[in-house]
Amino acid sequence: MIKRVQTKKIFVGDVAVGGDAPISTQSMTYSKTSNVEATVEQIRRLHFAGCDIVRCAVPDMESADALKEIKEQTSLPLIADIHFNHRLALKAAEVVDCIRINPGNISAKWKVQEIVKACQERNLPIRIGVNSGSLEKMFDDKYGPTAEAMVASAEYNIKYLEDLGFDDIKISLKASDVDRTVAAYRALRPKNNYPFHLGVTEAGTLFHATVKSAIGLGTLLLDGIGDTMRVSITGELEDEIKVARAILKDSGAVKDGLNIISCPTCGRIEADLVSAVAEIEERTAHITAPLNVSVMGCVVNAIGEAAHADVAIAYGKGKGLVMVKGEVVANLDEKELVDRFVFEVEKMAEESN
Amino acid sequence: MIKRVQTKKIFVGDVAVGGDAPISTQSMTYSKTSNVEATVEQIRRLHFAGCDIVRCAVPDMESADALKEIKEQTSLPLIADIHFNHRLALKAAEVVDCIRINPGNISAKWKVQEIVKACQERNLPIRIGVNSGSLEKMFDDKYGPTAEAMVASAEYNIKYLEDLGFDDIKISLKASDVDRTVAAYRALRPKNNYPFHLGVTEAGTLFHATVKSAIGLGTLLLDGIGDTMRVSITGELEDEIKVARAILKDSGAVKDGLNIISCPTCGRIEADLVSAVAEIEERTAHITAPLNVSVMGCVVNAIGEAAHADVAIAYGKGKGLVMVKGEVVANLDEKELVDRFVFEVEKMAEESN
């Protein structure tokens, strides 16, 4: 249903970003990058969680030096996150798959030229990462920390690279609040066709980061904006990927596994729906076929939802119906419904493979 | 920053909905409404959790009869949720503060006229509650279960009431997926000025319901759409209110308490930020003054965020700065930073009262 804005396709290692490539998920290690063992372990955890691209901070030369060994022990595409210091970028560019750097933060043009040359030699893209907390002074002075300032900063940094003959670019425009983030991405989107990396920055701990990121990234995904994304959480790595994937799925941007439609609690419910749905979630977690299923506690909306669901349960008093593609296939006691439902889901998932 | 669409103001009991009224939160009891004791207990829990308006299903006359006693024991405005049966609506209208009913689902016009007359006599508004799972057959047949069908159903039901001289109306357009929900509300918004009740229906268990509702309701709130809302969770009552309030706050639609900006984990962090932010969240949970605070783990974005924050911590190696309105007020050992930060937040909150 969502029509994605068509962007230029670039490659971060073997992961395509933009164009018709699937929207990828990213995260960032929080170990000292100079600690190879810890960083490799975190990258492995991210890989296992389903992360597509990983980023490491490179605040010093020990970290830049460590990247080679890290690359040798991991297979996820690696982005070096660099600020201010062009020598760190040159060192990182020898081994990583992408550099995140804002040219405007590098003190001299010749230094940026050296970085661009190093990236061109190895076909590395550059992410321009505009952040509301680290805007160039000239834009902060002129506009304050607004979406306009972020867009102006992005345009300035894009032009900086384009003037040097470099256009292997992706762009992020992260603010620490949702409406500025959304406003900035929306304003910049019509002005170029570079792929966008989405994120709400510094979104806080798990619960509020989930809500902020779902609002901000979800709003943009519904607009068709976004080619890769990170959910920033003051918390654990796996959660960033779990939430990112949920946003992709629940916005409708990606079809992946069961979309479970289930009632809220209300006084019409005839069954222990919470337990039933929890059991179904657990028993169908392995299924990747994109199926729409509904588990409904009373007749008011159940038949309507079931008619358009691949597999459905409609609970009645002590018993209920299992429906497949809108047709009733079984009328069973309440305690037999989940088993039959899971059976039908597994059958349909197998047939769709 | 968000400019709300101006809507007609109606009243559900003493709670204003629409116009310049604050966006209210709703939930629904899941006890049998005929069980007065259980329903009163659930309404009390919702009241304590911060819910503004509560809805009870009225599927039978025992439930309709119970509403009087429930009203006598609770103070939250009460909405009776009724389908198909006009006698239940007439009974409920004697005591509740609003009726949710779709006139198109009532079999005869004279029955709807009786409901309208009963509502007019007590100044009760009617919520037209369009739901993708229970569309009138004529619209489902014509459009399928689409946003267009939902909008057509809403317009039909609105006209039904308006033709009977009734315009004390609010409207919901809930689909079980985010993009239809958003599309339906956006399409209907320019066509009238009735207040909108937002919701993504049957959104599933806590995690996915949070993500789906944050995307759907957050997107609409950023558009300025929405006067009251419910987050539907297959789960517990308090969670519905907690998530609803988080969506209001994190979208920027409501200013309420601390907005905490804190870094994601990354290799630049010089401190145990996760513990510090968790401690700060706990120690400032009682504060209702709308303050922007930032807790940042390294210099890259910390100074920029702190410059625009009311109170901020910028961690360095083993120590850090506490900043108030962009000015450094203390340079302390790491272990003293949170105490000083909380002191400054409490001081500012008191001054703002």
Side-chain angles (χ1 to χ4, degrees), chain A residues 91-110:
Chain A
K91 186 71 198 170
E94 294 173 9
V95 292
V96 298
D97 301 293
C98 175
I99 302 284
R100 181 264 172 117
I101 200 161
N102 293 353
N105 288 339
I106 305 292
S107 56
K109 191 170 180 177
W110 67 266

Side-chain angles (χ1 to χ4, degrees), chain A residues 203-209 212 234, chain B residues 249 258-262 274-287 293 295 338 341-342:
Chain A
T205 49
L206 180 58
F207 177 64
H208 282 290
K212 280 187 187 178
T234 308
Chain B
K249 178 175 165 176
L258 263 59
N259 179 35
I260 301 178
I261 292 158
S262 67
V274 177
S275 305
V277 175
E279 184 183 343
I280 285 168
E281 282 192 338
E282 201 184 314
R283 289 176 61 180
T284 61
H286 62 289
I287 291 173
V293 302
V295 185
V338 170
F341 174 90
V342 171

